[in-house]
Amino acid sequence: MHRHRSAPDNTQELLLTLGHLVDQALENMRLQRARAELGLALQRHLLPAGLPEFPGLRIGARYSPSQDGLAVGGDFYDAFTMRDGVAGIAIGDVQGHGVEAAAFMGEARASLRALASVEVDPGRVLARANDLLISLGGDLFTTCCLVSFAPENGELAVARAGHVPLVWGTDDGDSGVSLDAGGVPLGILRGQRYPVTRRRLLQPGYLVMLTDGVVEGPAYPIDEGLAAVSELVGAARGADPGELAGRVIEVADRTGHEDDAAVLVVRYDGAPGRAGGDGA
C-alpha cells in the first residue's frame, strides 16, 4: 500500500516544484522586460526629438534599436549651435548595454552640448568632454565623432574619438571614406588630445556619420560596410537627407549585427552665390 501512495505524492511534489520554477521564470521575464522597456524609454527620451536647421544645411537621422530587446545600447546623435554660431554635429556609441549605457549616453550628449557652447574647436571639445566624463566616475566609455561646420563658407572640422570614419559624397557621383586621424574613446584616459582634420566643401554634397552597428558585424567586415555606404552616398545625387539616411541604415541588415544602429546624414546645399568646385 505504501508504494501505491508514494506515486501521487511524488507527482504532486514535482508539480509544485515545477510550478514554483515557472513562477520564478515568469517573474524574471517580467523584470527583464521592465528593465528593457525602461532602457528604451530612457534612450528615446535622451535622443533629440528634432534636429535644428542651419543655413545651407539639412540634416536627417535614422535610429534602429538592438535586435535583442534586452540589449538596450547607447548609440546617440545630436546637432546644436556651437560658439560663434557654428553648426555642431555629433554621433557616438557607448560601450555596453542596458540602463547604465543609456544613462551614460545622456551624460556624454549633455557634456558635448555644454562644452560646444563655449568652444568651437571639435578636438578641444572632445578633450574636455573626455576629462569631464572620467570625473563623473563609472567604468563605461563612448566613441564619438564631432564635426563643426560653417555653412557660409563650407569650412569643416572633424575630430574622432575611436569612432567609425565619415563617409562623404558629392552630387557629381564622387564619394569616399574619410580615414582621418583620431584619438581614444571618451572616458578611458585623462589628458587626451584629439587631432582635427580641416576641409572646405566647395560644392553640394553629403557627410554621413554612423555607428558601427550599421557597417560591421559577424557577417560583414567594416571595410565592406563602409564601401556599401559610400556607394549609396555617391548615387544619392541630391536626395533628401532623411531618405538617404533610411537607405544607409538598411546596410545594417546585411551585417548580422545585433547592436543598435544610428545614421546621421548632413546635406550641404552649397554656400550662397558659390559655384561648384572640389568635393570633400
Side-chain angles (χ1 to χ4, degrees), residues 88-124:
I89 305 146
I91 194 166
D93 185 357
V94 175
Q95 169 268 338
H97 298 89
V99 175
E100 294 81 5
F104 188 80
M105 175 264 280
E107 293 177 342
R109 181 174 167 238
S111 298
L112 291 172
R113 273 183 166 256
L115 293 165
S117 68
V118 296
E119 174 62 70
V120 73
D121 183 275
R124 287 197 289 268

Side-chain angles (χ1 to χ4, degrees), residues 207-229:
L207 296 175
V208 178
M209 305 164 70
L210 38 78
T211 57
D212 62 1
V214 180
V215 292
E216 183 180 28
Y220 219 59
I222 189 170
D223 289 347
E224 292 186 22
L226 288 170
V229 172

Side-chain angles (χ1 to χ4, degrees), residues 1-279:
M1 297 294 293
H2 176 73
R3 183 179 305 166
H4 292 290
R5 286 197 305 270
S6 64
D9 291 344
N10 290 340
T11 300
Q12 185 177 15
E13 183 178 341
L14 177 60
L15 290 174
L16 287 171
T17 300
L18 288 173
H20 288 310
L21 291 173
V22 170
D23 288 342
Q24 290 176 7
L26 289 173
E27 181 62 21
N28 287 335
M29 289 176 62
R30 282 192 289 268
L31 289 172
Q32 291 280 48
R33 187 178 300 113
R35 187 176 177 85
E37 290 173 355
L38 173 62
L40 285 170
L42 178 60
Q43 189 177 44
R44 291 193 187 101
H45 177 73
L46 293 173
L47 288 173
L51 295 169
E53 295 183 358
F54 299 97
L57 289 184
R58 289 179 287 144
I59 305 174
R62 291 292 184 274
Y63 167 76
S64 177
S66 167
Q67 296 178 32
D68 179 353
L70 300 179
V72 179
D75 286 16
F76 67 92
Y77 57 84
D78 204 358
F80 41 80
T81 302
M82 302 180 74
R83 200 196 70 189
D84 300 334
V86 172
I89 305 146
I91 194 166
D93 185 357
V94 175
Q95 169 268 338
H97 298 89
V99 175
E100 294 81 5
F104 188 80
M105 175 264 280
E107 293 177 342
R109 181 174 167 238
S111 298
L112 291 172
R113 273 183 166 256
L115 293 165
S117 68
V118 296
E119 174 62 70
V120 73
D121 183 275
R124 287 197 289 268
V125 171
L126 291 187
R128 293 179 179 180
N130 174 62
D131 290 343
L132 177 57
L133 290 172
I134 291 174
S135 73
L136 296 174
D139 56 0
L140 295 180
F141 61 85
T142 182
T143 67
C144 183
C145 179
L146 176 61
V147 172
S148 69
F149 193 84
E152 68 276 6
N153 57 19
E155 290 184 354
L156 174 76
V158 182
R160 291 194 299 138
H163 198 76
V164 181
L166 290 168
V167 177
W168 60 270
T170 57
D171 285 358
D172 61 5
D174 198 10
S175 65
V177 179
S178 295
L179 299 176
D180 306 315
V184 300
L186 308 180
I188 297 178
L189 298 171
R190 291 183 182 274
Q192 295 300 296
R193 293 184 178 181
Y194 295 88
V196 176
T197 301
R198 303 182 188 278
R199 294 187 175 88
R200 175 170 288 182
L201 304 186
L202 299 176
Q203 65 172 315
Y206 302 91
L207 296 175
V208 178
M209 305 164 70
L210 38 78
T211 57
D212 62 1
V214 180
V215 292
E216 183 180 28
Y220 219 59
I222 189 170
D223 289 347
E224 292 186 22
L226 288 170
V229 172
S230 178
E231 183 177 353
L232 287 171
V233 177
R237 299 180 185 277
D240 176 80
E243 179 184 346
L244 179 56
R247 297 176 196 168
V248 170
I249 207 165
E250 290 178 358
V251 174
D253 296 335
R254 312 178 198 175
T255 68
H257 206 305
E258 294 185 350
D259 201 356
D260 294 7
V263 174
L264 199 59
V265 174
V266 182
R267 167 68 187 178
Y268 177 54
D269 289 320
R274 184 182 296 275
D278 296 332

